[in-house]
Amino acid sequence: MFSHISGRMRLSALALGTTLVLGTTAGLAQAAPLDNEPLTARPAAAPAVAAAPAAWAAGTRAYLVVTTPGDTTAVRTAVTNNGGSVFASYDAIGVIVAHSASATFAATMRGVSGVQKVGATRTSDVPADAYNPALPANPAQSAAPTTEPVRSDMTQIKADQAWAVNPGSASVKVGILDTGVDDQHQDLAPNFNAADSVSCAYGKTDTRAGAWRDVDQHGTHVAGTVAAAKNGKGAIGVAPGVKISSVRIAEPGSTLFFAENTICGLVWAGDHGFKVTNNSYYTDPWQFNCPNDLDQAAILEGVGRAQAYAESKGSLQVAAAGNSNVDLANKTTDSSSPNDSTPVTRTITNDCLDIPAELPGVVTVAANGTSGTSKASFSNYGRDVIEVSAPGESVYSTIPGGKYTSMSGTSMASPHVAGVAALLASANPAYTPADIRAKLGEQATDLACPADNRCTGTTAKNSFFGEGRVDALKATGGSTPPPGKYFENLTDVTIADNSTVESPITVSGVTGNAPATLKVGVDIKHTYIGDLKVDLVAPDGTVYTLHNHTGSGTDNITQTYTVNASAEVANGIWKLRVNDNASQDTGRIDAWNLTF
């Protein structure tokens, strides 16, 4: 079994890692605490924070004290009266994060009136860094690549086709609960939302600028898969038009995601309007939390309340299923927990949950192999546990310092689904988390079970793939190109002031003339489309005007036009011609396509 990061698999050059966040360099990464994003500006439900101890003391442990949501004053007072200190308090969900060096603290607090559950969140001491956290490094940036090839993981889920329909709305915010994000990376900076980014390491918000930065590389990789900009540099995310916020929940050094960190991150997500969060980790130190254990029962309750709170505020959580190649519907043993001290082998049942992946309302994601139709060898599975699947092997994306690498793991599959969820939210602003969750399954591509007796169920829904591989094109409201020929050009063309530019598509293999209903998909990024005249130029030079200086005061053209091109021979070089007729506003042809 693997550690915290999504079952924590982090591999380099397809080598299996041990303690990785559900996704690592050219390797596996899974779930374990990889979702701690920095918090800024305290929201209504943000933690009420009491003064930390003046100095760190050996033996200090962290506890969740669970009580009735609302006014927790009496229970907080009881914490301080019984050998503890209040580190943070999430009153909206009735969860207090307490520190104590007393071995009898939990037992004593369980006898206090109004206290429902108390549990230690770790089997190791709270680090001294918790009381005076160091800011993560801000790495120097490498030179930006000059190419941006479309990768196979994006074509598997039809993201490359979705971009021409709707690349995602900047009003949709996606939270990356992970090891942090390098906001200076050239592929992430255009879409990074610093105002809603934060560190939740140790279970308390740290809103200092840069506290959200990566203490590993996992979170930056995940962020790129969700929303790397379509800017001609390096990589493209599933939803390159949405905004991403970093909520660092991993602690430096250990890169573990303890329960208090996860709670902090989920409450932050709800209070800051995240439509979607990605959770490529499991809550450390227990790969599975069992309700018959007093400590783990408190963890289940606390993290469960935080997820329910975020969902009630309109946030859908997407989570990695894990990288241990185990059947989550038939659990028997856990030999990797606790991962912050010495793991032991213990017998478990299905009542023991991998959280947040197995919490109600969370979208649980399995990983497809490179073929797109197989289960990745490391991916966890489970009948009625896995909801959907996505590419998770050798996924190429961003890492800190302006760099890129390939990683494998359910940590890499989950952000594909989070990106598709963001596209659904962009196309359907009124959708609730339940609506988005349902559509992800309804629109997924059915995948049949391979010749493997562990895979049970039907082609429509089974233990390996759930309801199938997600479909980004359907999420945008588009559809698979009809029978016939589909051609596209994804190369960016800069549109300067007072200039005319063209982007060509070579059409071949189409018999006869173009149809009377030729579909022309256009994706132009421009800050004032009233400056623009946009034409389709047929191979013989005939010009069909698509857009002629309309839309004054608006940005961007993302539209599919229908052109009667039946007089034109189909085969040949077609061009999209864009004429900018004014100064000050510029842009680019992002992509365009033809469907015959």
Side-chain angles (χ1 to χ4, degrees):
M1 291 217 178
F2 292 86
S3 75
H4 64 282
I5 293 178
S6 255
R8 257 189 213 177
M9 274 183 102
R10 185 191 287 176
L11 301 185
S12 193
L14 290 180
L16 296 182
T18 50
T19 305
L20 297 178
V21 273
L22 299 184
T24 28
T25 318
L28 308 179
Q30 187 196 329
L34 270 182
D35 294 284
N36 306 345
E37 296 196 34
L39 306 183
T40 55
R42 186 171 300 152
V49 179
W56 175 83
T60 298
R61 296 293 171 91
Y63 300 86
L64 298 182
V65 180
V66 181
T67 184
T68 303
D71 184 358
T72 66
T73 303
V75 176
R76 284 188 276 123
T77 298
V79 167
T80 58
N81 289 342
N82 287 282
S85 62
V86 175
F87 188 72
S89 181
Y90 297 89
D91 292 1
I93 60 172
V95 175
I96 297 163
V97 180
H99 288 179
S100 179
S102 170
T104 61
F105 176 76
T108 301
M109 285 301 300
R110 288 174 188 134
V112 172
S113 176
V115 172
Q116 298 167 358
K117 287 182 171 63
V118 180
T121 64
R122 47 184 93 200
T123 63
S124 56
D125 288 359
V126 174
D129 186 66
Y131 301 122
N132 186 23
L135 286 174
N138 184 11
Q141 301 294 312
S142 299
T146 57
T147 59
E148 188 181 52
V150 177
R151 309 282 172 174
S152 62
D153 59 315
M154 296 298 163
T155 59
Q156 279 184 33
I157 63 171
K158 301 189 182 76
D160 57 326
Q161 297 176 42
W163 298 327
V165 180
N166 185 348
S169 168
S171 66
V172 171
K173 294 189 286 189
V174 179
I176 310 298
L177 277 65
D178 215 290
T179 60
V181 174
D182 178 6
D183 55 301
Q184 304 297 309
H185 196 294
Q186 66 269 353
D187 245 338
L188 301 178
N191 293 333
F192 192 79
N193 173 20
D196 292 308
S197 292
V198 70
S199 171
C200 274
Y202 310 114
K204 180 167 64 178
T205 59
D206 181 351
T207 60
R208 292 176 297 166
W212 59 73
R213 293 201 174 113
D214 210 331
V215 295
D216 184 71
Q217 60 181 17
H218 187 272
T220 300
H221 194 277
V222 164
T225 298
V226 175
K230 194 171 185 297
N231 57 3
K233 302 172 184 177
I236 313 172
V238 176
V242 305
K243 293 297 182 181
I244 49 175
S245 297
S246 172
V247 178
R248 178 168 68 85
I249 60 175
E251 297 180 6
S254 68
T255 64
L256 294 179
F257 305 68
F258 292 102
E260 59 268 38
N261 310 356
T262 302
I263 289 167
C264 173
L266 290 172
V267 171
W268 181 267
D271 286 334
H272 287 259
F274 296 170
K275 288 294 288 187
V276 182
T277 71
N278 186 79
N279 301 266
S280 290
Y281 61 92
Y282 68 75
T283 301
D284 299 304
W286 307 99
Q287 183 169 19
F288 300 102
N289 285 273
C290 301
N292 62 348
D293 178 284
L294 292 176
D295 292 326
Q296 294 164 41
I299 292 172
L300 285 167
E301 182 68 21
V303 177
R305 286 189 186 187
Q307 139 55 20
Y309 178 82
E311 185 174 353
S312 75
K313 293 285 191 175
S315 178
L316 175 71
Q317 278 55 253
V318 177
N323 301 326
S324 301
N325 190 27
V326 300
D327 185 353
L328 296 176
N330 293 284
K331 302 182 182 90
T332 57
T333 59
D334 173 16
S335 57
S336 64
S337 306
N339 63 5
D340 66 334
S341 55
T342 303
V344 296
T345 298
R346 57 182 180 145
T347 299
I348 61 172
T349 69
N350 286 347
D351 289 335
C352 303
L353 302 181
D354 177 335
I355 60 174
E358 291 190 271
L359 290 174
V362 176
V363 178
T364 309
V365 182
N368 297 133
T370 53
S371 70
T373 58
S374 62
K375 181 184 88 68
S377 61
F378 50 80
S379 180
N380 288 351
Y381 57 99
R383 184 81 171 269
D384 298 323
V385 177
I386 302 301
E387 299 198 36
V388 289
S389 66
E393 279 191 346
S394 299
V395 174
Y396 186 86
S397 187
T398 50
I399 58 171
K403 300 175 183 178
Y404 302 81
T405 196
S406 294
M407 294 186 185
S408 296
T410 55
S411 280
M412 282 60 259
S414 182
H416 286 88
V417 177
V420 173
L423 293 178
L424 276 164
S426 299
N428 307 277
Y431 270 11
T432 66
D435 294 331
I436 299 173
R437 184 183 180 202
K439 282 295 182 183
L440 286 169
E442 290 171 14
Q443 296 177 347
T445 301
D446 291 343
L447 297 177
C449 279
D452 188 327
N453 60 15
R454 298 175 301 167
C455 187
T456 61
T458 65
T459 297
K461 186 176 183 181
N462 57 59
S463 59
F464 273 16
F465 312 114
E467 294 191 73
R469 187 181 63 240
V470 291
D471 189 313
L473 181 60
K474 288 181 181 177
T476 62
S479 59
T480 302
K485 293 288 185 176
Y486 175 85
F487 304 86
E488 64 184 348
N489 188 334
L490 299 175
T491 302
D492 289 354
V493 178
T494 299
I495 305 169
D497 283 332
N498 297 297
S499 68
T500 299
V501 298
E502 294 181 338
S503 177
I505 288 178
T506 299
V507 173
S508 62
V510 180
T511 302
N513 285 8
T517 56
L518 177 66
K519 302 296 183 185
V520 186
V522 176
D523 183 1
I524 293 175
K525 299 294 188 295
H526 197 279
T527 52
Y528 191 79
I529 64 173
D531 290 355
L532 302 182
K533 183 173 184 288
V534 182
D535 299 313
L536 175 69
V537 183
D540 67 356
T542 302
V543 175
Y544 297 85
T545 298
L546 306 178
H547 171 92
N548 195 5
H549 301 286
T550 58
S552 297
T554 57
D555 300 345
N556 306 336
I557 301 174
T558 305
Q559 187 173 338
T560 299
Y561 300 89
T562 301
V563 174
N564 183 352
S566 56
E568 308 295 334
V569 173
N571 292 335
I573 299 175
W574 296 74
K575 299 175 183 177
L576 187 71
R577 177 181 295 163
V578 181
N579 174 233
D580 183 301
N581 292 276
S583 300
Q584 297 185 343
D585 291 276
T586 60
R588 68 181 185 275
I589 301 174
D590 214 16
W592 73 289
N593 59 69
L594 294 170
T595 304
F596 287 80

